[in-house]
Every structure is written in structure tokens, then in C-alpha cells.
Amino acid sequence: MRFLIIVKAGAEPEAGTLPDAGLTAAMAEFHAALARDGALLDAASLTPDAEGWRIRYGEAGPRVEVGPFGEPGQRIRGYTLIQARSSDEALEWARRFPTPHGASRPAQIEVHPVLGPADPHPCRQA
């Protein structure tokens, strides 16, 4: 089973502020632990929303919008894609994820199972 750990952005990363060395080291160690366990599939940071774009679809067809998009905390700053044997194992890895904005700062991550083309989809009718 694959799971996507999504790191939500705070105000500092969106302003281009780099994480401190301690957080960078903690993330490197976390990803190294995932790799040693064979659980790490991919991980990356994203540029600030102001450097991105999105496409909205509607009756008039696709429309391109240039970032930023919404409030910090709703934006995505990075992700880690893992392979786990169960949801419980993925939850344990997520609990070990370093606090994304530093130990004393509010932050959040989200974890979602990833469905491939052959995976049963919860919205599909049997």
C-alpha cells in the first residue's frame, strides 16, 4: 500500500524563508530511516505557491490561474510518498514525521492512501 504524506505550508516557506538546519537534519534522518526500511518511494519540497499555477475547469473550458492560492496552511509545501504494509504502519511513520515548521510552531501534515489504476476504489460500485 502506498501513502502520501502531505506537508502543509506555513507563512515562512511561502515567503521564501529556508528551514533551519535542525529541521533539515531531522527530515534527512527521517527519510534515511524510511529508505533503510524500504518504505521511501519519493520525497520533495515544492516552491512557494507564487511560483506555481493551477488550471480551473468549467463550462468555458480550462482557465489558468497564477499563484499564490489561498491561505498558508491550505497550501502544500512538500510531500513524502511511502510504501507500507498496512494503514497502521503508515500511521506510525506519520507519527515519526518531524514537525514541519519547528518543534514549537503549529503545523500539520495529511496522510492519504494512494490508489493505482488496479486498486479497488471506494467510490466504484461493485
Side-chain angles (χ1 to χ4, degrees):
M1 300 172 68
R2 294 174 300 156
F3 295 85
L4 185 65
I5 302 171
I6 300 169
V7 179
K8 296 296 187 135
E12 288 81 8
E14 287 300 311
T17 304
L18 297 174
D20 66 39
L23 177 56
T24 301
M27 288 302 301
E29 176 51 37
F30 177 71
H31 287 134
L34 282 166
R36 282 190 301 272
D37 193 56
L40 181 64
L41 298 176
D42 192 22
S45 295
L46 303 178
T47 61
D49 270 11
E51 297 178 30
W53 61 90
R54 66 178 164 201
I55 300 175
R56 286 192 183 263
Y57 297 90
E59 290 181 19
R63 186 179 77 223
V64 176
E65 295 178 351
V66 177
F69 315 114
E71 296 298 316
Q74 300 304 312
R75 302 171 185 167
I76 298 172
R77 180 66 175 140
Y79 68 89
T80 300
L81 181 63
I82 65 171
Q83 179 80 34
R85 291 175 279 282
S86 67
S87 295
D88 289 340
E89 182 182 356
L91 176 59
E92 288 308 311
W93 278 115
R95 285 186 173 142
R96 293 174 56 189
F97 199 93
T99 304
H101 305 306
S104 62
R105 313 224 21 226
Q108 66 176 334
I109 63 172
E110 291 180 9
V111 182
H112 295 267
V114 176
L115 300 175
D119 293 327
H121 195 283
C123 296
R124 292 186 189 131
Q125 298 292 331

